[in-house]
Amino acid sequence: MVCGGFTCSKNALCSLNVVYMLVGLLLIGVAAWGKGFGLVSSIHIIGGVIAVGVFLLLIAIVGLIGAIHHHQVMLFFYMVVLFIVFLFQFGVSCSCLAMNRGQQEALLNSAWGMLENKTKTDLESQLNCCGLLNVTASQAQFDLDLQNCPALCKKNTVCYTCGDMMLTHATEALKILGGVGLFFSFTEILGVWLAVRYRNQKDPRANPSAFL
Protein backbone atom coordinates (compact mmCIF):
# COMPACT_ATOMS: atom_id res chain seq x y z
CA MET A 1 0.00 0.00 0.00
CA VAL A 2 1.58 3.27 -1.11
CA CYS A 3 1.71 6.22 1.26
CA GLY A 4 -1.52 8.17 0.93
CA GLY A 5 -3.59 5.01 0.99
CA PHE A 6 -5.96 3.94 3.74
CA THR A 7 -3.37 2.27 5.99
CA CYS A 8 -0.83 5.06 5.64
CA SER A 9 -3.42 7.78 6.40
CA LYS A 10 -4.65 5.82 9.41
CA ASN A 11 -1.15 5.32 10.84
CA ALA A 12 -0.18 8.96 10.24
CA LEU A 13 -3.34 10.23 11.95
CA CYS A 14 -2.85 7.86 14.89
CA SER A 15 0.79 8.92 15.29
CA LEU A 16 -0.12 12.61 15.21
CA ASN A 17 -2.75 12.14 17.91
CA VAL A 18 -0.33 10.17 20.08
CA VAL A 19 2.01 13.18 19.92
CA TYR A 20 -0.88 15.48 20.91
CA MET A 21 -1.68 13.19 23.84
CA LEU A 22 1.93 13.32 25.03
CA VAL A 23 1.93 17.13 24.78
CA GLY A 24 -1.33 17.29 26.75
CA LEU A 25 0.04 15.02 29.46
CA LEU A 26 3.25 17.09 29.53
CA LEU A 27 1.27 20.30 30.10
CA ILE A 28 -0.70 18.70 32.94
CA GLY A 29 2.47 17.29 34.48
CA VAL A 30 4.38 20.58 34.27
CA ALA A 31 1.48 22.48 35.86
CA ALA A 32 1.24 19.95 38.70
CA TRP A 33 5.04 19.99 39.16
CA GLY A 34 5.10 23.79 39.26
CA LYS A 35 2.35 23.86 41.87
CA GLY A 36 3.93 21.08 43.93
CA PHE A 37 7.31 22.79 44.11
CA GLY A 38 5.76 26.20 44.76
CA LEU A 39 7.05 27.75 41.53
CA VAL A 40 3.60 29.11 40.69
CA SER A 41 1.03 29.80 43.39
CA SER A 42 -1.81 31.27 41.31
CA ILE A 43 -4.66 28.77 40.97
CA HIS A 44 -5.79 30.60 37.80
CA ILE A 45 -2.46 30.02 36.03
CA ILE A 46 -2.30 26.39 37.14
CA GLY A 47 -5.94 25.84 36.21
CA GLY A 48 -5.46 27.44 32.81
CA VAL A 49 -2.47 25.27 31.90
CA ILE A 50 -4.21 22.12 33.14
CA ALA A 51 -7.37 23.05 31.20
CA VAL A 52 -5.36 23.43 27.97
CA GLY A 53 -3.65 20.09 28.63
CA VAL A 54 -6.94 18.30 29.33
CA PHE A 55 -8.59 19.86 26.25
CA LEU A 56 -5.70 18.78 24.01
CA LEU A 57 -5.74 15.31 25.58
CA LEU A 58 -9.49 14.89 24.98
CA ILE A 59 -9.29 16.07 21.38
CA ALA A 60 -6.36 13.70 20.76
CA ILE A 61 -8.32 10.78 22.27
CA VAL A 62 -11.33 11.56 20.06
CA GLY A 63 -9.07 11.71 17.00
CA LEU A 64 -7.26 8.50 17.95
CA ILE A 65 -10.47 6.53 18.52
CA GLY A 66 -11.97 7.95 15.33
CA ALA A 67 -8.87 6.96 13.36
CA ILE A 68 -8.70 3.43 14.78
CA HIS A 69 -12.38 2.68 14.15
CA HIS A 70 -12.76 4.90 11.04
CA HIS A 71 -15.67 6.56 12.83
CA GLN A 72 -17.18 9.21 10.55
CA VAL A 73 -18.87 11.34 13.23
CA MET A 74 -15.85 11.43 15.56
CA LEU A 75 -13.51 12.27 12.69
CA PHE A 76 -15.81 15.10 11.56
CA PHE A 77 -16.00 16.51 15.11
CA TYR A 78 -12.23 16.15 15.46
CA MET A 79 -11.36 17.99 12.27
CA VAL A 80 -13.84 20.85 12.93
CA VAL A 81 -12.50 21.47 16.45
CA LEU A 82 -8.89 21.14 15.30
CA PHE A 83 -9.48 23.65 12.50
CA ILE A 84 -10.96 26.17 14.98
CA VAL A 85 -7.94 25.67 17.25
CA PHE A 86 -5.67 26.19 14.23
CA LEU A 87 -7.30 29.53 13.36
CA PHE A 88 -7.02 30.76 16.96
CA GLN A 89 -3.44 29.58 17.45
CA PHE A 90 -2.29 30.90 14.07
CA GLY A 91 -3.70 34.35 14.89
CA VAL A 92 -2.11 34.43 18.35
CA SER A 93 1.27 33.27 16.97
CA CYS A 94 1.29 35.97 14.28
CA SER A 95 0.37 38.56 16.93
CA CYS A 96 3.31 37.45 19.09
CA LEU A 97 5.72 37.82 16.18
CA ALA A 98 4.37 41.27 15.22
CA MET A 99 4.14 42.77 18.74
CA ASN A 100 6.20 45.93 19.37
CA ARG A 101 7.49 47.26 22.72
CA GLY A 102 4.47 49.49 23.37
CA GLN A 103 2.11 46.57 22.85
CA GLN A 104 4.33 44.41 25.08
CA GLU A 105 4.05 46.98 27.88
CA ALA A 106 0.27 47.14 27.48
CA LEU A 107 0.06 43.34 27.61
CA LEU A 108 2.25 43.20 30.73
CA ASN A 109 0.13 45.84 32.44
CA SER A 110 -3.04 43.92 31.65
CA ALA A 111 -1.60 40.61 32.85
CA TRP A 112 -0.10 42.17 36.01
CA GLY A 113 -3.46 43.64 36.96
CA MET A 114 -5.08 40.19 36.82
CA LEU A 115 -2.48 38.52 39.04
CA GLU A 116 -3.14 37.80 42.69
CA ASN A 117 -0.96 39.56 45.28
CA LYS A 118 0.60 36.24 46.26
CA THR A 119 1.63 35.57 42.67
CA LYS A 120 3.11 39.07 42.36
CA THR A 121 5.22 38.71 45.51
CA ASP A 122 6.41 35.25 44.40
CA LEU A 123 7.46 36.70 41.06
CA GLU A 124 9.24 39.63 42.72
CA SER A 125 11.13 37.27 45.02
CA GLN A 126 12.23 34.98 42.20
CA LEU A 127 13.28 37.78 39.83
CA ASN A 128 14.62 40.02 42.64
CA CYS A 129 12.65 43.04 41.42
CA CYS A 130 9.86 45.29 42.64
CA GLY A 131 6.70 46.45 40.90
CA LEU A 132 5.96 46.31 37.22
CA LEU A 133 6.66 49.64 35.54
CA ASN A 134 7.37 52.98 37.23
CA VAL A 135 5.21 55.09 34.92
CA THR A 136 2.75 57.89 35.59
CA ALA A 137 -0.29 55.97 34.31
CA SER A 138 0.08 53.29 36.99
CA GLN A 139 2.00 55.16 39.70
CA ALA A 140 -0.47 54.32 42.48
CA GLN A 141 -0.30 50.60 41.72
CA PHE A 142 3.49 50.73 41.50
CA ASP A 143 3.79 52.45 44.92
CA LEU A 144 1.53 49.80 46.45
CA ASP A 145 3.54 46.97 44.90
CA LEU A 146 6.76 48.59 46.10
CA GLN A 147 5.50 48.65 49.70
CA ASN A 148 4.57 44.96 49.60
CA CYS A 149 7.68 43.87 47.68
CA PRO A 150 9.65 41.10 49.49
CA ALA A 151 12.65 41.16 47.11
CA LEU A 152 16.14 41.36 48.59
CA CYS A 153 17.07 44.23 46.27
CA LYS A 154 15.02 46.62 48.45
CA LYS A 155 17.91 46.58 50.89
CA ASN A 156 20.22 47.87 48.16
CA THR A 157 20.26 51.28 46.54
CA VAL A 158 19.26 49.90 43.12
CA CYS A 159 16.19 47.75 42.59
CA TYR A 160 14.98 47.19 39.03
CA THR A 161 11.30 46.92 38.15
CA CYS A 162 9.97 43.52 37.08
CA GLY A 163 8.57 45.06 33.91
CA ASP A 164 11.99 46.27 32.74
CA MET A 165 13.52 42.86 33.45
CA MET A 166 10.73 41.07 31.59
CA LEU A 167 10.83 43.44 28.61
CA THR A 168 14.58 42.86 28.26
CA HIS A 169 13.88 39.31 27.12
CA ALA A 170 10.27 39.77 25.97
CA THR A 171 11.03 40.23 22.27
CA GLU A 172 13.14 37.07 22.11
CA ALA A 173 10.59 35.13 24.15
CA LEU A 174 7.70 36.28 21.94
CA LYS A 175 9.62 35.25 18.82
CA ILE A 176 10.21 31.80 20.28
CA LEU A 177 6.58 31.55 21.42
CA GLY A 178 5.30 32.70 18.04
CA GLY A 179 7.58 30.31 16.18
CA VAL A 180 6.58 27.32 18.30
CA GLY A 181 2.92 28.31 17.97
CA LEU A 182 3.23 28.53 14.18
CA PHE A 183 4.92 25.14 14.05
CA PHE A 184 2.14 23.48 16.06
CA SER A 185 -0.55 25.32 14.10
CA PHE A 186 0.77 23.76 10.89
CA THR A 187 0.74 20.32 12.50
CA GLU A 188 -2.92 21.00 13.33
CA ILE A 189 -3.79 21.86 9.74
CA LEU A 190 -1.91 18.68 8.78
CA GLY A 191 -4.17 16.80 11.19
CA VAL A 192 -7.25 18.38 9.60
CA TRP A 193 -6.04 17.40 6.11
CA LEU A 194 -5.29 13.84 7.22
CA ALA A 195 -8.69 13.55 8.90
CA VAL A 196 -10.53 14.79 5.79
CA ARG A 197 -8.52 12.49 3.52
CA TYR A 198 -8.85 9.47 5.79
CA ARG A 199 -12.57 10.07 6.39
CA ASN A 200 -13.29 9.98 2.64
CA GLN A 201 -11.30 6.80 2.03
CA LYS A 202 -12.88 3.36 1.94
CA ASP A 203 -11.75 0.62 4.29
CA PRO A 204 -10.53 -2.26 2.07
CA ARG A 205 -11.14 -4.75 4.90
CA ALA A 206 -14.76 -3.68 5.23
CA ASN A 207 -15.50 -3.80 1.48
CA PRO A 208 -12.70 -5.40 -0.53
CA SER A 209 -14.78 -5.56 -3.73
CA ALA A 210 -14.80 -1.75 -3.87
CA PHE A 211 -11.22 -1.87 -5.10
CA LEU A 212 -11.72 -4.62 -7.74
Side-chain angles (χ1 to χ4, degrees):
M1 183 75 68
V2 295
C3 191
F6 182 86
T7 303
C8 184
S9 298
K10 177 180 179 179
N11 292 338
L13 194 56
C14 288
S15 301
L16 187 63
N17 282 290
V18 168
V19 172
Y20 285 156
M21 289 178 66
L22 293 176
V23 173
L25 290 172
L26 180 64
L27 286 174
I28 296 172
V30 167
W33 176 78
K35 179 63 177 176
F37 280 84
L39 299 179
V40 182
S41 60
S42 174
I43 191 65
H44 300 295
I45 296 176
I46 296 294
V49 175
I50 291 178
V52 171
V54 170
F55 175 78
L56 186 60
L57 186 62
L58 291 176
I59 292 301
I61 291 174
V62 170
L64 188 61
I65 295 175
I68 292 174
H69 298 286
H70 200 224
H71 196 287
Q72 296 292 309
V73 177
M74 296 184 76
L75 286 172
F76 178 79
F77 174 78
Y78 168 77
M79 67 186 190
V80 168
V81 173
L82 203 61
F83 183 70
I84 294 173
V85 173
F86 160 76
L87 292 177
F88 176 77
Q89 186 168 328
F90 183 79
V92 171
S93 300
C94 291
S95 298
C96 289
L97 292 173
M99 192 173 293
N100 57 37
R101 185 177 178 88
Q103 293 170 328
Q104 292 172 17
E105 290 182 3
L107 181 62
L108 277 177
N109 274 313
S110 177
W112 187 265
M114 293 186 292
L115 292 178
E116 299 173 351
N117 290 332
K118 174 63 175 172
T119 306
K120 291 179 182 179
T121 54
D122 287 348
L123 189 61
E124 289 169 337
S125 296
Q126 292 173 13
L127 297 179
N128 196 27
C129 57
C130 286
L132 183 64
L133 293 169
N134 189 8
V135 293
T136 306
S138 57
Q139 189 64 46
Q141 181 63 49
F142 178 79
D143 292 339
L144 180 61
D145 291 335
L146 188 61
Q147 291 177 4
N148 300 327
C149 181
L152 296 176
C153 67
K154 284 185 68 176
K155 300 177 182 179
N156 303 327
T157 55
V158 178
C159 194
Y160 294 102
T161 63
C162 297
D164 288 333
M165 296 184 68
M166 292 179 192
L167 288 170
T168 302
H169 305 287
T171 302
E172 181 181 356
L174 285 172
K175 286 182 179 179
I176 294 173
L177 183 62
V180 172
L182 278 179
F183 172 77
F184 274 102
S185 67
F186 285 118
T187 66
E188 288 158 4
I189 202 65
L190 173 64
V192 172
W193 177 78
L194 284 172
V196 172
R197 182 182 180 87
Y198 178 63
R199 187 170 179 266
N200 293 327
Q201 288 176 328
K202 295 181 180 180
D203 188 349
R205 295 172 301 177
N207 187 14
S209 61
F211 296 90
L212 296 178

